Amino acid sequence: MMTKILCMLVFMCSIFASAEGYTDTKCPKKPHTDYIGGDMGMDEIDSEEECIQRCLQFDSCVAVTFLKTDSGKGLCHKKRGGWEREASDQRDIVSIDVQCIRDEIRNTAAECPKKPHTDYIGGDMGMDEIDSEVECIQRCLQFDSCVAVTFLKTDS
C-alpha cells in the first residue's frame, strides 16, 4: 500500500511566492555564463523565473541557461548535469544553479512551522495527488499567487 499526499494549493499569506527570492539571495545568477552540455530540452518562455519553474518540474533538472532574444521572449535551456561553465560575450544570457534553489526550498520547507490537523479553508487554487510534501511545495512555487499548501495523506 502506497501513501499518497493530496496537495491543496491555497491563496493566503506570503510564505512561498516564487523562485525569484531564492535566485536573488543564496543561489546567485551567473550573468554572461553559458552552461554547455547536459541539455534536457529548450522552451521559449517569458522570464528567468518561469525557466526556473520549468526546471523544478523535473527531478533530473539541476540548472538552466536563459537567453533573452530580440523578440522579447527567452530561450530556456534545462540542464541535467554534466555541463561545463563557459563565459559568454552575449549580454542577455544568464545561467542558474537550480539544484541550489531546490535545496533552499527543502530547507525552507523543513524550517516552516507545520500546523497538524489544520486546513486552510477557502482560497483553494486546486488539488493534486503527489508523492511528497516537497513536491507539493514545488508545485505551489509554480504560481505567484500560491503562498501556502495543505497536505492530506491518503492510502491509495
Side-chain angles (χ1 to χ4, degrees):
M1 179 168 21
M2 176 184 247
T3 299
K4 289 280 190 179
I5 298 172
L6 293 177
C7 173
M8 300 277 296
L9 305 180
V10 181
F11 175 77
M12 286 191 33
C13 58
S14 184
I15 298 174
F16 302 107
S18 75
E20 185 175 354
Y22 295 110
T23 59
D24 290 342
T25 57
K26 296 180 182 179
C27 303
K29 300 173 186 178
K30 306 230 183 285
H32 311 292
T33 302
D34 191 0
Y35 290 161
I36 307 293
D39 292 322
M40 291 181 58
M42 188 261 310
D43 299 309
E44 186 175 358
I45 57 167
D46 294 321
S47 68
E48 293 170 21
E49 287 76 20
E50 185 179 351
C51 186
I52 293 166
Q53 298 299 348
R54 296 264 176 114
C55 182
L56 285 170
Q57 294 175 7
F58 303 96
D59 288 337
S60 58
C61 187
V62 297
V64 295
T65 295
F66 180 77
L67 174 63
K68 195 77 164 172
T69 64
D70 292 336
S71 70
K73 291 275 192 179
L75 300 178
C76 175
H77 298 269
K78 298 179 296 295
K79 307 291 182 170
R80 71 170 46 98
W83 43 266
E84 295 181 23
R85 187 163 52 175
E86 183 175 292
S88 175
D89 58 357
Q90 293 180 324
R91 63 180 174 87
D92 291 330
I93 193 169
V94 63
S95 290
I96 302 162
D97 179 351
V98 177
Q99 187 59 48
C100 174
I101 295 169
R102 188 174 275 117
D103 292 343
E104 285 299 308
I105 291 168
R106 286 187 180 117
N107 292 339
T108 301
E111 294 170 8
C112 287
K114 294 181 182 177
K115 296 182 179 182
H117 313 292
T118 302
D119 185 8
Y120 297 122
I121 305 296
D124 293 349
M125 296 175 60
M127 182 172 65
D128 293 311
E129 189 171 314
I130 47 95
D131 293 318
S132 71
E133 293 177 11
V134 170
E135 184 181 351
C136 186
I137 292 166
Q138 288 175 341
R139 296 243 178 124
C140 180
L141 286 170
Q142 295 172 14
F143 306 96
D144 287 340
S145 58
C146 182
V147 295
V149 294
T150 298
F151 308 102
L152 174 63
K153 292 184 180 183
T154 64
D155 293 325
S156 61

